Amino acid sequence: MNAIQSDDYGYWLLTQDSTLYLIDGELPQGKASDFQLLGLKAMKIGQIDGLPLWLVEEIADDTREYVSLRSLLFLPETHFNLLNRGVELNHFFKTHRFCGKCGHPTHIAADECAIECANTKCSYRTYPVICPCIIVAVRKENQILLANHQRHKGGIYTTLAGFVEVGETFEQAVHREVFEETGIKVQNLRYFGSQPWAFPNSAMVGFLADYESGEINLQEDEICDAKWFHYSAMLPELPPKGTIALKLIKHTLQLCADEERKVK
């Protein structure tokens, strides 16, 4: 990051963990001097409507009112993903102030998006950390498997998800997570899509899967409830628009409907 100049112009992204600063629901746009940003550092991380988007270094004890990134899921995908990039980079810079190899202070590398040890005898580089997760919609003929997780107890029913473990393929993670959380075995895995998820630094990799065998047996420290829902039945509360979870659910419900029409 470099020192902000008074005539630097564009959109300004100020973040605090997974929250960001808006003015009347919009990112601040204009000159740096319009928003009391002089004396701070920033870096360009992309463009919005042809104007640069500046990620501003996190401000300690900032009195501005910040809003959750989750509340902006309604934004166009490219716009939302760019905000994810800023939030994840902020988290990376904030959590890598010292070298993990020798313990010396670090600085942002001049030639690429990385953190470099300031100790010239070390110069170890670390790159933005992304934690991959799988998320999967499971279909059984004309039904979809939906679960109510402990963090949403009494509320949202959604697809199953979990972090990929070291030395594990994405496909292996799908099989493991589904079986661990529900006791179900799946087959016929198909890649669906992905979504950056800056809470704080994940990437959701989505799959479709078909039921193979087993009865629902809950991992109760993770899952409150899990059920098979007929595609045409009244569904419980679902994830919000803009999430890959909802996209997976809607796609699977359509697959269920198509399958039933074939049978008829």
Side-chain angles (χ1 to χ4, degrees):
M1 289 188 176
N2 297 312
I4 296 173
Q5 305 300 309
S6 60
D7 59 348
D8 284 338
Y9 189 90
Y11 287 94
W12 299 93
L13 179 56
L14 285 73
T15 63
Q16 298 277 345
D17 296 323
S18 293
T19 65
L20 45 91
Y21 173 62
L22 302 178
I23 298 177
D24 296 328
E26 302 285 344
L27 286 175
Q29 179 195 341
K31 286 187 176 182
S33 55
D34 297 336
F35 306 109
Q36 296 77 51
L37 299 176
L38 300 183
L40 299 174
K41 293 181 178 180
M43 63 185 295
K44 295 178 184 178
I45 62 168
Q47 287 190 344
I48 296 177
D49 299 331
L51 295 176
L53 174 63
W54 297 83
L55 173 63
V56 181
E57 64 179 341
E58 185 168 318
I59 305 169
D61 303 318
D62 192 9
T63 57
R64 296 177 177 89
E65 184 175 346
Y66 285 69
V67 301
S68 171
L69 180 62
R70 290 177 187 268
S71 67
L72 303 176
L73 279 161
F74 65 88
L75 291 173
E77 185 175 287
T78 54
H79 192 160
F80 181 74
N81 289 353
L82 187 54
L83 297 182
N84 272 264
R85 173 176 167 81
V87 169
E88 291 195 46
L89 284 173
N90 171 63
H91 175 77
F92 171 63
F93 296 147
K94 188 169 64 172
T95 56
H96 289 77
R97 292 173 177 166
F98 296 93
C99 178
K101 185 176 180 181
C102 73
H104 278 72
T106 60
H107 58 76
I108 299 175
D111 58 338
E112 60 180 343
C113 187
I115 289 292
E116 185 176 52
C117 180
N119 177 7
T120 56
K121 293 183 179 180
C122 176
S123 299
Y124 180 70
R125 287 197 174 192
T126 305
Y127 296 86
V129 177
I130 301 172
C131 299
C133 303
I134 58 87
I135 182 167
V136 55
V138 181
R139 182 174 70 92
K140 182 181 181 182
E141 297 176 350
N142 55 13
Q143 300 176 93
I144 184 172
L145 179 64
L146 296 176
N148 179 224
H149 294 73
Q150 288 288 352
R151 64 183 178 279
H152 298 140
K153 190 172 184 178
I156 290 172
Y157 275 70
T158 185
T159 51
L160 300 176
F163 286 100
V164 179
E165 295 185 351
V166 173
E168 185 176 55
T169 67
F170 289 101
E171 292 80 4
Q172 288 169 337
V174 170
H175 287 285
R176 175 182 54 76
E177 283 289 346
V178 173
F179 185 75
E180 285 179 355
E181 294 187 352
T182 65
I184 296 296
K185 290 185 178 181
V186 294
Q187 60 184 348
N188 192 24
L189 270 58
R190 291 96 71 202
Y191 173 75
F192 177 80
S194 62
Q195 181 177 36
W197 198 241
F199 303 99
N201 57 344
S202 299
M204 306 295 291
V205 180
F207 288 87
L208 302 168
D210 295 333
Y211 170 83
E212 181 180 297
S213 63
E215 300 294 330
I216 294 175
N217 182 22
L218 300 181
Q219 184 182 26
E220 295 183 353
D221 59 338
E222 293 279 347
I223 307 293
C224 299
D225 186 32
K227 296 177 181 176
W228 293 104
F229 290 88
H230 190 276
Y231 80 93
S232 64
M234 180 71 71
L235 295 174
E237 181 184 358
L238 298 177
K241 182 180 178 181
T243 59
I244 190 172
L246 185 61
K247 292 177 182 178
L248 280 164
I249 291 169
K250 287 186 173 181
H251 186 84
T252 301
L253 294 175
Q254 186 60 53
L255 289 176
C256 291
D258 293 344
E259 185 68 22
E260 186 157 291
R261 279 196 293 271
K262 288 180 182 177
V263 173
K264 291 180 179 180

